[in-house]
Amino acid sequence: MAHASDMIADDIEAYLKAHERKGLLRFITCGSVDDGKSTLIGRLLFESKLLFEDQLAAIEADSKKYGTQGNEVDFALLVDGLAAEREQGITIDVAYRFFSTDKRKFIVADTPGHEQYTRNMVTGASTADAAILMVDARHGILTQTRRHSFLMSLIGIRHIVVAINKMDLVEYSKARFEEIAEQYREFAGQLGLEDITFIPMSALKGDNVIEHGGHMPWYHGPTLMGYLESVEVDEARLQRLPFRMPVQWVNRPNLDFRGFAGMIAAGTVRPGDAIRVQPSGKTSRVRRIYTHDGDLEQAIAGQSVTVLLEDEIDISRGDVISGVDQPAETADQFETTLVWMHDQPLLPGRPYLMKLGTQTVSATVSDIKYQVNVNTLEHTAAKQLDLNGIGVCTLSLGKPVAFDAYRDSPDTGGFILIDRMSHNTVGAGMLHFALRRSQNIHMQHVDIDKQARALAKGQKPAVLWFTGLSGAGKSTIANLVEKKLHAAGQHTYLLDGDNVRHGLNRDLGFTDADRVENIRRVAEVAKLMVDAGLIVLTAFISPFRSERRMARELMQEGEFIEIFVDTPLDVAEARDPKGLYKKARRGVLKNFTGIDSAYEAPEDPDLRLDTIRLSQEEAADAVIELLRERQLIA
């Protein structure tokens, strides 16, 4: 809905043209619970004349039922749309609202104040140019005020209004306003926040929201609306940055047209400009900038265009076209800040998918350097990140990508993590810088490769990955299979779970995080042994599908064989060859798979061995038969 301007009745075409040319400001409201965020947005919508008569009637009725302002209209109910929000008088989800004035269009996100909804606040702030931080004049700077300020500094919001609200409840005291402003300046200095504007107001009464009013003659700064109409939008800053365009699509409708489509993330570009494609580093010049409405002489940040180049060079979706003088960096290892947004914790070593711009690559958090307590800004040690946790982490990718530091360009420095199994978004992060080792460590070429090593042994290398509960018989069956292969003249090596924990993985326990790292290390060792031309057998519980999938993806097609030693829990527990189930049942042994730690059975294994029906010898023969069928052995 547009601002109710007098031009609509006088000259609708002129109004529509003027409205089309208006700039757009995205901003958020945040702060502690009951500081008046939703009331402020409701006031802005009301003062902008954006409400129909039926909406006004509805809000008056709702105010009598749910309102907190006595007989007055409760403007917060215009925004708090969820029934749970209205009943509790709080904001839970992120509520987006659109409004406009004669000078600018606005999209405002009303974000929740509770700590458990931190991820919702981060979501709302991710595209914001500015933030309105609400502070109750009665209570001053609270924990939630500090928390949201930290998140704003983390996300990189550059323009902040500290709206000291409910001044009517402190008798419009200038001294109280200045006291809170000084407290916040001192705290903001620790976060590096610089562009801060303090505005005393009453969202309920309307003081200093649209107009100054007469209650605070001592305040001579802008009203909130005056600030919002004049503050610099982020797009203007982005246009001054070096040129970046992530390629979304290679547009080739016929043999004579080959363009690269995408939205310009930063900078400007003109025909004739020299460009560099990252991560390949190839260079060319822009021949045309094509759009549906015709060619452009210049394209700027925020525009979606198709760029045609003078040279035929290989460019794919996910590549970044940069200016030749200031190209994007490329790397595959980074220091990042990560906000975890899923109920299941982040475990270092577990593989995820990372979406950066238009590119999706495999990613692993190899280390959590520390977790940030958003209430105190304290750095604490952490082995995992739980829901709403924020940590500084080391991120390793499956291949190099083009990027910028998030503080310089959010579009090419911000990313999300996706669960490989469910495809849910589980985290959002900001790239800080490439690790030095990612620039200095390179794969070394060797003349004797895997094929040559396997040929010398007269076999095809592979990994036989035995998985199942403790007591299922994995080690026994794997040992029988290796004996049969050895007797047939094959070159093998058996990696057993217990044996590996005596050496390579002796530093790991049995928490979920340690189990993930245990399997990651074993998978990397198995990959090296396959490269040596061996047939590798692994006997590990390996309880999580995600890690087994990671191990499979380390190998080439056909080299990984998942063998599920399927034994029911009650049968495995009855066998209990090492007495571990008894210890787990007594509570002596914690995090034991099948008792107090989950086992995710394979959904589609290469081979399922039913140990109720098959003897150990028959199970081993079934593995050998599968290897023959797949022509891995003669």
Side-chain angles (χ1 to χ4, degrees):
M1 189 187 303
H3 171 63
S5 169
D6 295 335
M7 290 177 63
I8 296 177
D10 299 336
D11 189 343
I12 185 63
E13 291 189 5
Y15 168 78
L16 291 174
K17 289 182 179 179
H19 192 72
E20 183 179 348
R21 290 192 296 269
K22 290 178 186 176
L24 173 65
L25 176 72
R26 297 178 177 87
F27 69 95
I28 65 168
T29 59
C30 55
S32 184
V33 178
D34 293 332
D35 276 350
K37 302 182 295 296
S38 298
T39 301
L40 174 63
I41 297 174
R43 168 67 67 177
L44 290 173
L45 296 175
F46 177 78
E47 296 289 356
S48 299
K49 302 178 182 179
L50 290 178
L51 304 178
F52 294 118
E53 291 183 5
D54 60 334
Q55 288 177 300
L56 285 172
I59 200 64
E60 288 174 359
D62 285 345
S63 295
K64 295 177 182 178
K65 183 177 181 181
Y66 300 110
T68 60
Q69 304 302 327
N71 294 325
E72 298 186 35
V73 173
D74 189 347
F75 291 110
L77 299 181
L78 288 169
V79 182
D80 289 342
L82 298 178
E85 293 179 351
R86 292 190 171 194
E87 291 168 0
Q88 298 179 54
I90 62 172
T91 298
I92 296 174
D93 202 358
V94 180
Y96 294 92
R97 292 294 183 270
F98 170 83
F99 68 98
S100 70
T101 66
D102 288 334
K103 296 181 180 180
R104 183 174 274 178
K105 294 179 286 187
F106 304 92
I107 296 177
V108 54
D110 181 27
T111 60
H114 287 71
E115 182 174 5
Q116 62 264 42
Y117 304 119
T118 297
R119 59 178 172 177
N120 303 52
M121 190 272 180
V122 172
T123 300
S126 61
T127 58
D129 303 306
I132 300 174
L133 179 63
M134 304 293 289
V135 177
D136 189 323
R138 297 170 301 169
H139 304 143
I141 307 302
L142 300 176
T143 298
Q144 289 96 326
T145 313
R146 296 184 175 90
R147 179 188 306 124
H148 283 179
S149 297
F150 169 73
L151 292 172
M152 288 188 293
S153 69
L154 180 69
I155 295 167
I157 296 178
R158 290 169 171 78
H159 309 295
I160 298 173
V161 173
V162 178
I164 301 176
N165 191 32
K166 302 186 181 182
M167 290 295 293
D168 53 308
L169 299 182
V170 294
E171 299 179 352
Y172 300 101
S173 168
K174 178 182 179 182
R176 180 57 176 159
F177 167 73
E178 292 179 343
E179 178 187 359
I180 295 173
E182 184 58 34
Q183 289 176 359
Y184 189 80
R185 285 191 189 96
E186 181 178 350
F187 173 72
Q190 302 175 37
L191 301 176
L193 299 174
E194 298 177 352
D195 189 351
I196 304 173
T197 301
F198 297 91
I199 300 178
M201 68 171 61
S202 171
L204 182 64
K205 305 295 184 182
D207 296 288
N208 289 337
V209 178
I210 305 296
E211 299 177 351
H212 283 91
H215 293 105
M216 291 175 279
W218 46 265
Y219 174 71
H220 304 290
T223 63
L224 178 64
M225 183 59 74
Y227 176 90
L228 294 175
E229 287 183 330
S230 59
V231 68
E232 181 186 48
V233 296
D234 212 36
E235 288 181 358
R237 183 187 66 85
L238 291 176
Q239 291 171 19
R240 298 192 293 268
L241 296 176
F243 174 63
R244 301 284 188 269
M245 191 187 89
V247 175
Q248 182 174 2
W249 177 47
V250 179
N251 184 0
R252 193 157 193 187
N254 55 61
L255 295 176
D256 300 321
F257 188 100
R258 187 167 184 262
F260 307 101
M263 188 180 77
I264 299 174
T268 61
V269 64
R270 301 174 181 82
D273 285 354
I275 60 92
R276 185 183 301 275
V277 180
Q278 301 296 101
S280 69
K282 296 177 181 178
T283 60
S284 183
R285 288 187 178 274
V286 176
R287 181 161 58 89
R288 289 175 59 191
I289 303 174
Y290 177 81
T291 70
H292 177 73
D293 298 322
D295 285 9
L296 299 179
E297 290 302 314
Q298 175 179 279
I300 62 176
Q303 287 186 298
S304 295
V305 298
T306 297
V307 172
L308 284 74
L309 304 180
E310 292 182 353
D311 304 292
E312 288 288 338
I313 59 178
D314 183 22
I315 301 178
S316 304
R317 173 181 169 85
D319 290 346
V320 175
I321 301 177
S322 307
V324 72
D325 294 330
Q326 295 177 284
E329 295 184 68
T330 61
D332 60 3
Q333 296 184 62
F334 307 90
E335 181 180 281
T336 72
T337 295
L338 189 61
V339 181
W340 196 244
M341 308 172 74
H342 198 260
D343 294 328
Q344 295 297 319
L346 163 70
L347 301 177
R350 172 162 287 180
Y352 299 96
L353 294 176
M354 169 179 148
K355 190 174 189 331
L356 173 65
T358 57
Q359 183 161 210
T360 302
V361 298
S362 61
T364 301
V365 174
S366 52
D367 178 46
I368 301 175
K369 293 187 173 181
Y370 57 84
Q371 183 170 347
V372 180
N373 184 325
V374 295
N375 300 326
T376 64
L377 305 185
E378 179 186 7
H379 295 176
T380 59
K383 286 191 173 183
Q384 64 183 43
L385 288 183
D386 296 315
L387 176 64
N388 292 321
I390 300 174
V392 173
C393 308
T394 300
L395 188 70
S396 299
L397 308 184
K399 65 177 183 179
V401 297
F403 79 101
D404 291 289
Y406 181 86
R407 65 177 180 276
D408 297 328
S409 179
D411 285 342
T412 51
F415 65 90
I416 60 173
L417 289 183
I418 301 169
D419 184 85
R420 300 174 72 97
M421 305 299 293
S422 66
H423 299 287
N424 291 327
T425 298
V426 293
M430 289 68 67
L431 299 177
H432 298 322
F433 54 81
L435 299 182
R436 183 175 298 178
R437 60 177 177 264
S438 70
Q439 308 292 335
N440 297 336
I441 300 176
H442 307 278
M443 290 297 292
Q444 180 66 41
H445 171 75
V446 293
D447 293 322
I448 307 299
D449 59 10
K450 176 169 59 178
Q451 184 178 2
R453 299 184 190 105
L455 185 62
K457 295 177 176 63
Q459 65 184 33
K460 293 182 180 178
V463 173
L464 310 183
W465 193 280
F466 292 82
T467 178
L469 292 169
S470 176
K474 300 181 299 299
S475 296
T476 303
I477 296 172
N479 187 54
L480 284 172
V481 171
E482 186 178 33
K483 287 171 65 176
K484 292 176 182 292
L485 291 174
H486 182 74
Q490 306 296 329
H491 298 261
T492 63
Y493 195 89
L494 172 58
L495 291 168
D496 180 78
D498 285 352
N499 294 346
V500 169
R501 282 187 176 272
H502 280 291
L504 176 66
N505 293 345
R506 67 187 303 174
D507 60 317
L508 299 177
F510 292 91
T511 65
D512 285 354
D514 285 340
R515 290 177 183 274
V516 169
E517 176 61 13
N518 182 51
I519 298 305
R520 187 196 69 80
R521 294 183 191 179
V522 170
E524 291 288 355
V525 171
K527 179 183 178 183
L528 292 173
M529 289 184 166
V530 167
D531 193 58
L534 298 174
I535 296 176
V536 187
L537 303 90
T538 72
F540 292 81
I541 295 175
S542 49
F544 304 125
R545 296 189 188 105
S546 181
E547 278 62 64
R548 297 196 298 266
R549 181 171 178 173
M550 175 271 295
R552 180 185 292 274
E553 292 178 351
L554 285 176
M555 313 303 166
Q556 293 183 0
E557 185 71 26
E559 287 183 346
F560 187 91
I561 298 175
E562 184 178 47
I563 302 169
F564 177 29
V565 184
D566 189 1
T567 303
L569 175 61
D570 58 340
V571 175
E573 188 170 358
R575 293 174 183 171
D576 202 8
K578 303 172 186 176
L580 301 179
Y581 283 100
K582 292 184 178 66
K583 291 182 179 179
R585 290 297 185 186
R586 295 200 307 268
V588 176
L589 187 61
K590 300 294 185 182
N591 302 313
F592 190 73
T593 304
I595 304 300
D596 55 357
S597 184
Y599 177 75
E600 299 172 357
E603 296 176 325
D604 187 24
D606 295 279
L607 180 63
R608 176 178 172 271
L609 300 176
D610 183 352
T611 61
I612 300 298
R613 184 177 59 85
L614 298 174
S615 68
Q616 293 172 343
E617 189 72 27
E618 289 171 332
D621 287 339
V623 175
I624 295 297
E625 182 59 30
L626 177 64
L627 298 181
R628 289 198 182 104
E629 289 176 3
R630 299 197 175 182
Q631 299 181 347
L632 290 171
I633 61 174

